Amino acid sequence: MGEFDLIARYFKRKTPSALQPPAPSATNSVAIEAPPIALGIGDDCALLTPAPGQQLAISTDMLVKGRHFFPDVDPAALGHKALAVNLSDLAAMGAEPVAFTLALALPPERAADDAWMSAFAQGLFALADEHRCPLIGGDTTAGPLNICITVFGQIPVGQALRRDGAQPGDDIWVSGTLGEARLALLALQGQIELAPERLAVLRERLERPIPRIALGRALRAIATSAMDLSDGLSGDLTHMAVASGVGAVLDSMALGKAVGPVAECVSPRPADPVSLALTGGDDYELLFTASPGQRDTVNALAVASALPLTRIGQIRSGSGLWLDDGAGGQSAIARTGYDHFA
Ligand code: ADP
Ligand code: MG
């Protein structure tokens, strides 16, 4: 099969359901403008027509075999994750998904493996359809397996949730639970042991992160800053604090809560829950700040969206990250986020 057959077979869909009007029962069902796609796959460029008053939000993330995923990973999960990590960036800005492009390097034996290619496309398009985010172009080449997606979103001008808006006195919040993807990774690497049924649950967190699009949209009116957690809380929060020109104090009790009970169930214990929350990467949850006046609103949002939102600390003036031990002591937190070249 040649390059163009491969594109036609797996990636060019005649009637992408993502372009259809949303079903009444669709999850995240909020009235969404039709995606502003004037031209999709097949020409030299795709054409997008942003609605008046909207800004485009654009982000790229690359997944490299052996670095971001195991060579034998389930291809459907890989398709899901490649898009999910990009959609997570849109969520972090409060943007609505519009479309994405896919640049793919494939070893010839993968390209010829119909079961693998079909499963990859299925995982990719299941998530794309859920968010009405069609594939509008890309590039396909032979080479070591490498998946690079660029996602396009839209957001009303001036409403994007940036990293540089945190104010002294703001609360710091995280969505969902932290550290679970890291536990799954440690188990798959043979560094810790997990019961098979527990590994199955945590593996979902590593391989099928859920982009928090609806939460990001809701936070537009609430948060002063936001970002998604991909490299571990301490490193990511440092980025936010530096961008905002502030410092942050985290509450160790609250951090333990954000990790949930899973940290108690592994053997040998890889680290205490607080370090797991601080250093575990691949969470793809949202980190955001909001004024203390918004606490009731945020708590109501957690209930309405059935997603835990945990207040884990406070922004303060100055710089650096501090951990409050709950007994009057505060210690500096080392910046330990993942860095590919460190
Ligand atoms: P060009 O040579 O003009 O850059 P290509 O021959 O690479 O274009 O691709 C032909 C068409 O197929 C283009 O519209 C491109 O966007 C699309 N395409 C190529 N690879 C992919 C892919 N992996 N997924 C989706 N569309 C793709
Ligand atoms: Mg090309």
Side-chain angles (χ1 to χ4, degrees):
M1 185 175 17
E3 175 186 336
F4 300 100
D5 298 329
L6 186 134
I7 296 164
R9 178 156 182 179
Y10 298 108
F11 300 121
K12 184 167 183 176
R13 300 194 301 167
K14 297 239 160 29
T15 50
S17 48
L19 289 171
Q20 304 298 319
S25 62
T27 47
N28 301 337
S29 66
V30 171
I32 306 170
E33 296 281 312
I37 297 154
L39 186 63
I41 292 178
D43 213 315
D44 292 306
C45 292
L47 297 173
L48 298 181
T49 313
Q54 302 277 321
Q55 272 175 329
L56 284 179
I58 303 165
S59 180
T60 297
D61 259 305
M62 181 155 65
L63 264 63
V64 177
K65 185 183 81 166
R67 182 151 285 270
H68 299 99
F69 57 91
F70 294 106
D72 61 350
V73 68
D74 169 11
L78 186 58
H80 173 100
K81 185 164 179 176
L83 181 58
V85 300
N86 279 278
L87 291 174
S88 178
D89 285 322
L90 291 186
M93 299 293 284
E96 204 84 68
V98 168
F100 71 104
T101 60
L102 170 67
L104 200 56
L106 284 170
E109 68 274 13
R110 278 291 184 229
D113 182 345
D114 179 57
W116 196 94
M117 290 298 303
S118 298
F120 175 79
Q122 182 273 322
L124 181 76
F125 286 124
L127 185 64
D129 290 355
E130 192 183 316
H131 293 282
R132 303 185 69 242
C133 185
L135 176 61
I136 56 165
D139 198 22
T140 309
T141 165
L145 183 57
N146 188 328
I147 303 155
C148 184
I149 286 180
T150 297
V151 78
F152 300 83
Q154 66 179 2
I155 185 158
V157 174
Q159 290 189 24
L161 297 169
R162 298 164 44 146
R163 295 179 181 192
D164 59 4
Q167 301 291 324
D170 280 354
D171 293 325
I172 304 170
W173 298 81
V174 287
S175 67
T177 48
L178 304 179
E180 292 174 322
R182 168 53 59 92
L183 285 179
L185 181 66
L186 291 172
L188 293 172
Q189 289 172 335
Q191 297 190 44
I192 61 169
E193 236 180 281
L194 294 178
E197 58 285 2
R198 183 155 297 280
L199 175 58
V201 172
L202 297 189
R203 197 172 177 156
E204 282 282 295
R205 293 302 316 271
L206 177 67
E207 295 183 348
R208 290 184 173 271
I210 300 169
R212 303 299 186 189
I213 294 287
L215 175 62
R217 189 196 296 128
L219 288 176
R220 282 179 199 166
I222 299 168
T224 51
S225 70
M227 66 185 296
D228 69 329
L229 290 171
S230 54
D231 297 337
L233 175 63
S234 62
D236 288 335
L237 179 57
T238 299
H239 292 308
M240 178 186 269
V242 169
S244 299
V246 295
V249 193
L250 294 175
D251 170 352
S252 56
M253 290 281 285
L255 272 185
K257 267 195 278 171
V259 175
V262 291
E264 310 302 328
C265 311
V266 292
S267 125
R269 292 179 60 178
D272 66 292
V274 171
S275 332
L276 194 63
L278 287 172
T279 60
D282 263 348
D283 292 312
Y284 297 103
E285 293 295 346
L286 295 189
L287 169 71
F288 61 95
T289 57
S291 88
Q294 297 283 5
R295 280 179 198 173
D296 289 347
T297 310
V298 175
N299 287 324
L301 181 59
V303 172
S305 54
L307 177 65
L309 300 175
T310 309
R311 187 156 53 84
I312 57 166
Q314 201 150 51
I315 297 294
R316 67 180 191 194
S317 55
S319 65
L321 259 51
W322 306 85
L323 187 66
D324 190 320
D325 63 14
Q330 286 192 356
S331 50
I333 298 172
R335 180 183 175 282
T336 45
Y338 192 74
D339 179 335
H340 283 274
F341 296 103

